[in-house]
Amino acid sequence: MTDSLETFDVVVVGGGPSGSTAATDLARLGVKVRLLDRAGRIKPCGGAIPPKLIEEFAIPDSLLVARVNSARMISPANIAVDMPIEGGFVGMVDREHFDEWLRRRAAAAGADLCQGTFERITRDADGVSIVHYCSKPAGSAVGDVAVSNRVRARAIIGADGAMSAVAKQCIPGADQMRYVAAYHEIVQVPRAATQKFSGARCDVYYQGRLSPDFYGWIFPHGDTASVGVGSAQKGFSLRRATEELRAASELVDAKTVRREGAPIPMKPLRRWDNGRDVVLAGDAAGVVAPASGEGIYYAMAGGRFAAAAVLQLLKTGDVRALSRARRDFMKLHGTVFWVLGIMQRFWYSSDRRRERFVSICRDVDVQRLTWQAYMHKKLVRAKPLTHIRIFAKDMAHLLGIVRA
């Protein structure tokens, strides 16, 4: 019998930045929400959050483990180009604590936080979705058998990551999503800055030996740092590349705190909803920026759009409301994703092009517009002459007129 099952207006599957944001927004409006999150999950992530995110989503300073004021781009020939941030900073967070804080905020807003692993969705005789998940009772020991649970849901937000089980079951084409495999090691860092590492700087390595189609990174997290690489090339050894990156950055002897790996989607899905009662958000929808791999801001923005779409569905019963999540997101960020996708396909395709890409980053106009776009999450409308200068310089590098 399903009559005895508890019914929620919305079940959010996944308690990362996108799911927690959606649950918080809905709960604050009085919607009955269950936030279902799988315990013990930490996503491998550099942890960079721009000022736009900090302001828009009211993130307290206490969550920032570091403040970055510049980035260093390292070319295949080991030429380093520093890109200082004028009048601002990029905040760094540890996902283990950041995500948990977001979940607690959702619970404080009124969401019902539940630990469990999503299994499947079925429907009762009235056509209402039933969310099946397994969980272990409080106080259970390792090895105890998980208990199967069910709840009814008028709507479902799938925010369960790049390999989303919700998406694969409910959204056509979700099984065709393209991924970059990411791997990083959290390491303890030297007490004092060195030539190769600074706690106030992000280092990005554009070198084919470290990644044939993406990049390697060293992002400071206060007492620790994220050292990692990504690649979509099958058979490429991410661990070996990370070892080389640690050696290049003089962190080879640093104590390893933990190792993590996960797929990162590199292109938004063409469809985010099932036309009935399910909509996707975050990595499940594929909203990770190409070229940069940045996902936290876009995940939280996507969670907010998903919440707004679901709220409209609940109010009106019009299933077309669900498609607003993707439409509204892409209206704001689609052009940025398109531009970054072109950049990745061209500049990351060979070491020769990577060398020129890093060389372009020396340009003050490029630096200024890059940081403004990143910090404020939109393409900046600069003075026309500035864009003309950047276009001319970019074409000169593309055609090999200037030396890298």
Side-chain angles (χ1 to χ4, degrees):
M1 295 290 292
T2 60
D3 293 343
S4 61
L5 295 181
E6 186 172 9
T7 300
F8 289 87
D9 293 323
V10 185
V11 171
V12 180
V13 181
S18 59
S20 294
T21 299
T24 299
D25 284 2
L26 290 167
R28 284 175 173 170
L29 295 172
V31 177
K32 186 178 180 181
V33 184
R34 167 157 287 182
L35 177 57
L36 179 65
D37 186 64
R38 179 166 54 88
R41 167 198 50 77
I42 306 174
K43 181 185 175 181
C45 176
I49 60 173
K52 172 72 170 175
L53 184 154
I54 296 171
E55 177 184 358
E56 186 174 330
F57 297 100
I59 303 303
D61 286 347
S62 60
L63 286 176
L64 303 183
V65 294
R67 293 174 181 239
V68 168
N69 54 36
S70 71
R72 174 170 290 179
M73 327 295 272
I74 298 98
S75 76
N78 285 317
I79 296 172
V81 174
D82 287 346
M83 298 178 63
I85 302 173
E86 295 181 358
F89 69 92
V90 174
M92 306 300 296
V93 296
D94 187 323
R95 288 292 299 273
E96 179 180 10
H97 305 296
F98 182 71
D99 289 18
E100 180 59 25
W101 184 87
L102 293 175
R103 288 189 286 270
R104 291 201 307 268
R105 180 164 70 173
D112 181 81
L113 180 58
C114 175
Q115 285 193 353
T117 302
F118 171 83
E119 292 183 324
R120 66 187 185 280
I121 297 170
T122 59
R123 298 190 183 275
D124 65 13
D126 296 328
V128 177
S129 285
I130 301 175
V131 178
H132 299 249
Y133 65 94
C134 63
S135 62
K136 292 184 179 181
S140 60
V142 176
D144 287 355
V145 178
V147 177
S148 295
N149 301 276
R150 297 180 299 161
V151 293
R152 298 171 82 240
R154 296 174 60 197
I156 298 163
I157 295 177
D160 50 334
M163 304 297 288
S164 170
V166 175
K168 289 180 179 178
Q169 179 179 342
C170 302
I171 310 299
D175 57 347
Q176 302 300 314
M177 184 181 286
R178 294 166 50 199
Y179 305 99
V180 163
Y183 170 81
H184 79 161
E185 297 177 358
I186 299 295
V187 303
Q188 291 183 348
V189 299
R191 291 182 178 272
T194 68
Q195 278 293 107
K196 297 290 187 178
F197 175 81
S198 169
R201 186 188 69 225
C202 288
D203 292 349
V204 186
Y205 285 73
Y206 295 101
Q207 300 180 351
R209 66 186 183 88
L210 298 178
S211 173
D213 50 0
F214 202 54
Y215 61 80
W217 69 84
I218 302 172
F219 289 174
H221 285 187
D223 294 334
T224 63
S226 165
V227 184
V229 298
S231 176
Q233 187 177 106
K234 292 183 178 180
F236 183 78
S237 177
L238 300 177
R239 285 207 174 198
R240 186 178 303 114
T242 302
E243 289 176 2
E244 292 185 31
L245 181 55
R246 288 181 64 167
S249 56
E250 299 180 352
L251 293 173
V252 67
D253 295 325
K255 180 181 178 181
T256 303
V257 178
R258 64 178 188 265
R259 297 179 173 88
E260 298 155 351
I264 297 177
M266 295 309 293
K267 187 175 183 179
L269 290 175
R270 292 184 177 274
R271 184 169 179 174
W272 294 2
D273 70 279
N274 69 343
R276 183 171 182 170
D277 58 1
V278 177
V279 65
L280 304 179
D283 281 12
V287 291
V288 175
S292 68
E294 181 196 1
I296 301 178
Y297 174 79
Y298 296 114
M300 297 179 76
R304 179 150 287 174
F305 282 121
V310 163
L311 184 65
Q312 188 69 15
L313 170 67
L314 296 175
K315 287 181 176 179
T316 66
D318 187 349
V319 298
R320 292 175 297 179
L322 293 178
S323 65
R324 289 182 51 189
R326 188 184 191 281
R327 183 176 70 248
D328 291 349
F329 180 95
M330 296 304 289
K331 183 178 180 180
L332 273 181
H333 305 295
T335 301
V336 172
F337 275 52
W338 178 74
V339 169
L340 292 177
I342 292 175
M343 284 180 55
Q344 180 172 345
R345 287 191 296 274
F346 184 85
W347 290 116
Y348 296 6
S349 61
S350 70
D351 271 353
R352 181 180 178 183
R353 289 181 177 178
R354 292 186 190 96
E355 201 71 48
R356 295 191 176 280
F357 174 71
V358 173
S359 181
I360 288 175
C361 293
R362 291 194 186 98
D363 188 270
V364 175
D365 289 331
V366 170
Q367 292 183 12
R368 185 175 295 116
L369 290 184
T370 297
W371 282 125
Q372 288 179 3
Y374 173 80
M375 307 282 266
H376 303 292
K377 287 293 159 270
K378 60 184 179 181
L379 294 176
V380 180
R381 295 184 182 275
K383 296 178 181 179
L385 286 178
T386 301
H387 282 299
I388 292 172
R389 285 199 304 270
I390 291 175
F391 176 76
K393 294 169 186 175
D394 197 37
M395 289 303 298
H397 280 273
L398 284 171
L399 298 173
I401 297 173
V402 299
R403 296 182 64 184

